[in-house]
Amino acid sequence: MATYVFDFSEGNKDQKDLLGGKGANLAEMTRIGLPVPPGFTITTEACRAYMANGVLPPELRVEVTMAVRRLEDQMGRSLGDPRHPLLVSVRSGAKFSMPGMMETVLNVGLNDESVHGLAAFAGDERFAWDSYRRLIQMFGKTVLGIDGDLFAQALDAHKRARGADSDTGLTAEDLHDLVLDFKEIVREHTGKDFPQKPREQLDLAVEAVFGSWNTERARLYRRRERISDDLGTAVNVVAMVFGNLGEDSGTGVCFTRDPATGRSGDYGDYLPNAQGEDVVSGIRNTLSLADLERLDPAAFAELRQAMRTLENHYRDLCDIEFTIERGKLWMLQTRVGKRTAAAAFRIAQQLVDEHLITMDEALERVTGAQLAKLMFPQFDAAAEPAPLATGMAASPGAAVGAAVFDSATAQAWAADGRDVILVRRETNPDDLGGMIAAVGVLTSRGGKTSHAAVVARGMGTTCVVGAEAVVVDAAERRFAVGDTVVAEGDTIAIDGTTGEIFLGDIPVMPSPVVRYLEDGLDAALAELPVEDDETRELVAAVDAILTHADSARRLGVQANADTADDAVRARAWGAQGIGLCRTEHMFLGERRVLIERLILATEDAEREAALAALLPLQRADFTDLLTAMDGLPVTIRLIDPPLHEFLPDLTDLSVKVALAEERGETGPDVDRDEHLLAAVRRMHEANPMLGLRGVRLGIVIPGLFALQMRAIAEAHAARLAAGGDPRAEIMIPLAASIMELHLVRDEADRIIAEVGAQHGLTLDIPVGAMIELPRAALTADRMASVAEFFSFGTNDLTQTTWGFSRDDVEGAFFHEYTEKGVFNVSPFESIDRQGVGRLVRIAAEEGRATRPDLRLGVCGEHGGDPESIHFFHDVGLDYVSCSPFRIPVARLEAGRAAVVTGGGDTR
């Protein structure tokens, strides 16, 4: 029988699967001797049992009883004792941090009797009533499902009556009356009195925390972060320590390094005479840790030592929650802290330089998604815009968009394609949808550890918080800074690096990381001001970690590139070849008329003339590509899309011809349109993506593939004659059978030999297959007897495996599919390992069984997706190919994949 409850003294930091992140880290802090209030953790297994059966496991009640009694013995107080009451907090704690997404209830155990015992124990009647009103407020919203605004409005009414700016201005008598009002709200909206039995409070709170795992905001957060819905959350029951016992008490959140920049030092927020939720909610602007040092030097010194202990122990940036109760420090939580992309790279390299981690570990601590964010543009300082106001820089980046004042509007406007900035007094978990939709978040309250700051940093969204000059009027949908009023829809800009807020659009410039990728480290550093240590350190860190990734990775990284300019850019960014050149892009623009001539040809002579006109153009295209990628492979896919894509739209052309006929127009142009219309009608298909395209074109339309293969061979020969090192490869698209490959391969071999003989050269041009149909994957052993390499076209392989038409389904029902858990992420975004991935694995294994030296790559969009790259490494592919912009991301993730599987260098 499973054990569902563990005391903090029984666990450690490696038990996150069972105890959740918070429980495992509370146990670890207890184990290493830090001051942690006693408590116990109810495991994620209990949550999973609750989710499966809809009720708590029957044995859990007994285990909780025993744990509570052990806790009572430790504390010398009892749950429900009217004279010496034990109060506990009930807090969620999943394996992966989900800040603000699930529930917490503080002061569980208070009732109408024990509130007097708490007042006597603390010698402070105001504190006791403040604790009781907090319990009813949190319990009412979290457990009983009452609208939290009702409690907030009652609290505001009492503050107005007292003339108080904050809740700390309320007297004990005020808070006693507020408790009565809160209890009436509970009675009115539930039909029952607020529960007076402490054990009933505890059981209901535990069940509410388990239930909060499946709230809409929690599910949305998990989809965003790709966290499984099956993990469940643990529940931590902790003896209460109180930061609201007066000015010698308080609560705070701190970081061992700045999570926004990575700079070493003491960073955090502190609120005297407050409980923990006051800090993260952002409802009161906080003090700094420097203020804490002034207010309570001894407690600060102890906290600083605990911060150092934890950073050395975890060897990483730590996020810490603490409470000071009448000068006594208590550690309430620690975790490896969320950080911005820039901070992630800086901290990783700093820890290497401090000899706390290896380069392999540094590589594991950054991600391709973070590197991509560092490549985004930033505001152009040369524009010298005057800031409207300045807040705290919470998450860096440059965001420009329309101001919106609620989550629903942000989501609706973003769905219409508008960039929006969500403006709030402070955010709460219900704003998550709007925060995801927005390009930036601005709040007038809160600090660097507020909900807005923590969530935005985790998502990589630009964020400015605590802009006190910004007076937000959500009801009127506007904010004011002095006499300047900004209405909903007005364009604003926020700088998450400086905290500045601007009115109107602000020009942006390339990021210094992009300058480094294009020009190299020395050139990038030379462009930066000498005093800009932060950016210089960041660029150097990116260079060091990316260089190590290149040395560690097994996967090659190539580019999807169709022009010489694309190839030059890709090579500069680290591409080791071209994994996909889409030749159809070479037939657009002025060349479209030549395709029309080919399609309209009724005689061999006309067709051959059209092909002859295309040959020198294609040869020049391929020569330029081979020149740009000299010494590196260039995989050229023969024309793939249906030819009707190069012709006018059927409806538009039909209308044009009908109008000409109605007007009695004649002449060569009219004749051409009529011939063209007949061809368009002849070639029209109900489902063109599964029709006459790819290899089928080469077999059905005489001379089309031969033209391209001859142009490739001639360009290859010309580069050899010029002293170059061309490495052209021919890829056959959409092949499903070995006979299709034979027909094209035989023609390719003939043309390559013929061109080689003409130039007196032996041309080595491999011919391979693009695997993008399930049948091709399932017959890979046969296909490999003809193809010299496979490149997985995972875009079409996903379409044909799922039966999806990508252009239709993503907007039609993918939202509902993610909502209902059919998949957590679009299979076009990240590889479907169980379905499409299995086909890739089968094809790789069976293809190499036939041809052991078979080279394997992927050229779909998944080639630049971080999670997919790890899969391709595991399967044993030789390279991934992606768009030039994603090459640095792919290089980094390929290195991380090698390190995770033990293939990296641990120097």
Side-chain angles (χ1 to χ4, degrees):
M1 186 173 66
T3 299
Y4 289 125
V5 177
F6 291 84
D7 290 344
F8 292 162
S9 59
E10 297 177 292
N12 61 62
K13 65 181 175 62
D14 298 322
Q15 293 181 284
K16 291 184 175 65
D17 286 324
L18 181 66
L19 304 178
K22 189 174 298 178
N25 288 325
L26 283 167
E28 187 73 8
M29 287 196 294
T30 301
R31 191 179 68 81
I32 64 176
L34 292 177
V36 177
F40 58 89
T41 299
I42 303 173
T43 67
T44 57
E45 287 184 350
C47 181
R48 289 192 290 272
Y50 173 76
M51 291 191 294
N53 303 314
V55 294
L56 295 173
E59 57 269 41
L60 179 61
R61 184 173 179 83
V62 175
E63 291 189 44
V64 169
T65 297
M66 300 307 296
V68 167
R69 291 191 176 181
R70 290 193 296 271
L71 184 57
E72 290 173 335
D73 291 343
Q74 276 185 279
M75 298 299 295
R77 306 179 214 160
S78 297
L79 197 66
D81 188 325
R83 291 186 303 165
H84 303 289
L86 170 67
L87 305 185
V88 296
S89 63
V90 180
R91 309 178 76 185
S92 63
K95 176 181 179 180
F96 300 107
S97 177
M98 296 172 54
M101 294 303 110
M102 291 181 292
E103 304 298 0
T104 294
V105 185
L106 305 181
N107 306 321
V108 170
L110 269 179
N111 57 24
D112 292 349
E113 292 184 351
S114 60
V115 67
H116 299 291
L118 181 64
F121 166 77
D124 188 337
E125 189 175 357
R126 185 197 177 282
F127 151 74
W129 288 106
D130 183 47
S131 298
Y132 196 16
R133 70 90 184 169
R134 289 173 185 270
L135 168 63
I136 301 172
Q137 184 171 3
M138 298 179 77
F139 194 96
K141 179 183 178 184
T142 297
V143 180
L144 303 178
I146 301 170
D147 184 353
D149 287 343
L150 298 172
F151 297 108
Q153 290 163 8
L155 175 59
D156 287 342
H158 279 269
K159 287 192 292 187
R160 284 194 300 273
R162 173 58 61 182
D165 293 330
S166 72
D167 52 4
T168 57
L170 297 178
T171 66
E173 183 179 352
D174 295 330
L175 293 166
H176 172 271
D177 293 342
L178 183 59
V179 164
L180 296 178
D181 289 347
F182 279 5
K183 288 166 66 178
E184 183 57 36
I185 290 172
V186 171
R187 188 180 301 111
E188 180 181 341
H189 287 84
T190 67
K192 298 178 181 179
D193 289 332
F194 178 77
Q196 293 294 302
K197 295 179 180 179
R199 182 56 192 268
E200 180 185 2
Q201 294 175 10
L202 176 60
D203 290 343
L204 289 172
V206 168
E207 191 167 356
V209 172
F210 281 158
S212 71
W213 174 257
N214 277 327
T215 61
E216 178 55 34
R217 72 186 187 220
R219 293 175 69 88
L220 177 61
Y221 184 88
R222 289 198 295 275
R223 285 197 298 272
R224 165 86 186 194
E225 299 297 316
R226 300 186 185 180
I227 298 171
S228 170
D229 285 336
D230 299 329
L231 297 178
T233 181
V235 176
N236 299 286
V237 179
V238 190
M240 282 295 302
V241 291
F242 300 98
N244 57 333
L245 272 170
E247 292 305 314
D248 61 349
S249 303
T251 189
V253 178
C254 61
F255 301 92
T256 56
R257 298 176 192 239
D258 187 343
T261 67
R263 191 182 295 114
S264 297
D266 305 323
Y267 296 91
D269 297 323
Y270 179 71
L271 269 180
N273 198 18
Q275 287 194 320
E277 294 303 301
D278 297 337
V279 177
V280 297
S281 68
I283 60 175
R284 286 166 58 188
N285 285 341
T286 55
L287 303 179
S288 68
L289 293 189
D291 295 319
L292 171 60
E293 183 178 19
R294 177 177 51 80
L295 293 170
D296 192 338
F300 173 81
E302 188 179 359
L303 174 65
R304 187 68 191 85
Q305 182 56 51
M307 292 168 67
R308 179 179 175 82
T309 297
L310 286 171
E311 180 167 282
N312 288 337
H313 186 71
Y314 283 86
R315 299 182 303 134
D316 208 343
L317 160 70
C318 290
D319 172 354
I320 300 163
E321 294 181 20
F322 66 94
T323 281
I324 297 171
E325 182 183 81
R326 290 181 171 166
K328 167 64 177 173
L329 174 69
W330 292 100
M331 307 296 284
L332 303 185
Q333 178 178 340
T334 192
R335 59 192 171 199
V336 172
K338 291 186 179 294
R339 65 207 71 185
T340 65
F345 277 86
R346 286 198 196 98
I347 290 171
Q349 189 58 45
Q350 287 166 4
L351 293 173
V352 170
D353 295 341
E354 294 168 20
H355 308 293
L356 285 173
I357 64 174
T358 66
M359 280 302 297
D360 275 4
E361 290 174 306
L363 184 54
E364 288 186 74
R365 294 187 184 186
V366 296
T367 68
Q370 290 169 332
L371 179 58
K373 289 188 179 300
L374 295 178
M375 296 163 65
F376 293 159
Q378 60 189 30
F379 289 135
D380 186 355
E384 298 183 347
L388 179 66
T390 301
M392 280 184 256
S395 184
V400 180
V404 297
F405 293 87
D406 65 77
S407 180
T409 303
Q411 293 176 77
W413 287 20
D416 288 338
R418 299 183 66 178
D419 287 341
V420 299
I421 293 177
L422 180 63
V423 183
R424 304 283 283 161
R425 286 193 185 92
E426 67 272 339
T427 63
N428 63 60
D430 294 331
D431 290 317
L432 180 63
M435 295 179 73
I436 291 174
V439 297
V441 177
L442 168 64
T443 71
S444 59
R445 298 178 182 172
K448 284 191 175 183
T449 60
S450 64
H451 175 268
V454 171
V455 174
R457 268 198 302 273
M459 296 191 303
T461 300
T462 300
C463 182
V464 173
V465 299
E468 296 182 353
V470 175
V471 180
V472 178
D473 188 340
E476 296 296 326
R477 314 191 80 76
R478 65 188 183 194
F479 74 81
V481 178
D483 295 332
T484 302
V485 177
V486 176
E488 187 161 75
D490 290 350
T491 298
I492 61 171
I494 59 173
D495 189 330
T497 303
T498 65
E500 292 175 313
I501 304 146
F502 305 96
L503 190 60
D505 202 349
I506 304 295
V508 296
M509 60 184 291
S511 85
V513 170
V514 168
R515 292 200 295 273
Y516 149 70
L517 291 168
E518 292 178 342
D519 304 327
L521 180 62
D522 291 341
L525 292 177
E527 291 182 19
L528 292 169
V530 175
E531 65 274 10
D532 190 357
D533 294 336
E534 219 168 79
T535 305
R536 298 173 72 86
E537 183 183 356
L538 170 62
V539 172
V542 171
D543 173 68
I545 294 173
L546 198 52
T547 298
H548 183 68
D550 287 336
S551 69
R553 63 185 166 91
R554 180 190 59 75
L555 275 174
V557 176
Q558 300 185 20
N560 298 343
D562 307 329
T563 67
D565 288 344
D566 287 343
V568 168
R569 182 180 303 109
R571 188 163 189 165
W573 284 23
Q576 297 166 295
I578 293 177
L580 174 64
C581 168
R582 291 158 290 210
T583 56
E584 57 269 15
H585 291 172
M586 299 173 177
F587 294 128
L588 301 176
E590 295 177 356
R591 301 184 189 182
R592 188 186 294 266
V593 66
L594 298 176
I595 290 291
E596 290 181 6
R597 285 172 53 190
L598 178 65
I599 295 169
L600 294 175
T602 56
E603 298 179 0
D604 290 346
E606 291 177 312
R607 183 178 298 108
E608 289 171 4
L611 292 171
L614 283 168
L615 178 60
L617 300 174
Q618 284 270 269
R619 183 172 58 236
D621 293 331
F622 299 142
T623 301
D624 289 345
L625 274 175
L626 292 172
T627 301
M629 281 289 172
D630 194 59
L632 297 174
V634 176
T635 305
I636 301 168
R637 182 180 72 184
L638 302 176
I639 190 166
D640 178 45
L643 288 187
H644 76 81
E645 290 194 7
F646 299 97
L647 300 178
D649 177 75
L650 174 60
T651 301
D652 292 344
L653 191 57
S654 298
V655 170
K656 184 179 180 182
V657 170
L659 287 174
E661 183 178 348
E662 183 180 341
R663 295 166 182 158
E665 296 175 359
T666 59
D669 289 343
V670 174
D671 292 342
R672 173 187 168 278
D673 287 343
E674 289 175 349
H675 285 300
L676 200 53
L677 178 58
V680 170
R681 284 174 173 161
R682 184 176 69 251
M683 301 181 69
H684 180 71
E685 297 174 297
N687 193 346
M689 297 311 292
L690 294 178
L692 183 59
R693 56 168 290 213
V695 68
R696 303 158 195 169
L697 285 171
I699 294 172
V700 172
I701 299 180
L704 181 57
F705 273 15
L707 151 77
Q708 294 194 293
M709 292 187 290
R710 184 172 296 278
I712 293 168
E714 290 182 357
H716 190 101
R719 287 297 302 149
L720 279 175
D725 182 15
R727 300 190 184 180
E729 301 177 345
I730 295 172
M731 182 158 65
I732 303 169
L734 210 72
S737 81
I738 189 173
M739 281 307 300
E740 289 174 321
L741 290 184
H742 268 307
L743 289 170
V744 179
R745 175 68 191 267
D746 290 348
E747 187 173 25
D749 289 344
R750 178 183 61 78
I751 291 171
I752 292 169
E754 183 180 305
V755 172
Q758 289 172 355
H759 290 78
L761 299 167
T762 299
L763 304 184
D764 180 15
I765 302 178
V767 179
M770 193 168 182
I771 305 298
E772 46 194 333
L773 294 172
R775 190 180 192 280
L778 294 171
T779 59
D781 56 336
R782 291 169 55 79
M783 305 286 274
S785 66
V786 179
E788 295 175 86
F789 64 87
F790 287 168
S791 180
F792 293 95
T794 51
N795 296 347
D796 273 345
L797 189 57
T798 299
Q799 290 198 100
T800 53
T801 300
W802 278 88
F804 286 155
S805 169
R806 179 174 185 175
D807 292 340
D808 297 320
V809 299
E810 286 194 302
F813 60 81
F814 267 30
H815 177 72
E816 284 77 12
Y817 264 41
T818 53
E819 287 281 325
K820 298 181 186 301
V822 177
F823 37 64
N824 287 331
V825 62
S826 164
F828 292 108
E829 182 181 339
S830 193
I831 194 78
D832 159 32
R833 295 190 178 209
Q834 287 73 37
V836 178
R838 188 175 180 201
L839 289 173
V840 171
R841 189 181 295 275
I842 289 170
E845 292 173 354
E846 297 190 0
R848 280 188 171 149
T850 297
R851 187 187 291 266
D853 62 349
L854 183 71
R855 200 159 60 90
L856 301 172
V858 61
C859 58
E861 290 183 27
H862 299 96
D865 170 62
E867 288 193 15
S868 302
I869 289 169
H870 287 250
F871 172 77
F872 298 136
H873 173 93
D874 293 340
V875 170
L877 268 57
D878 295 301
Y879 68 91
V880 296
S881 188
C882 56
S883 68
F885 184 81
R886 302 190 85 176
I887 286 167
V889 171
R891 290 165 56 196
L892 186 78
E893 288 295 346
R896 295 183 72 237
V899 166
V900 168
T901 56
D905 172 16
T906 57
R907 61 187 165 87

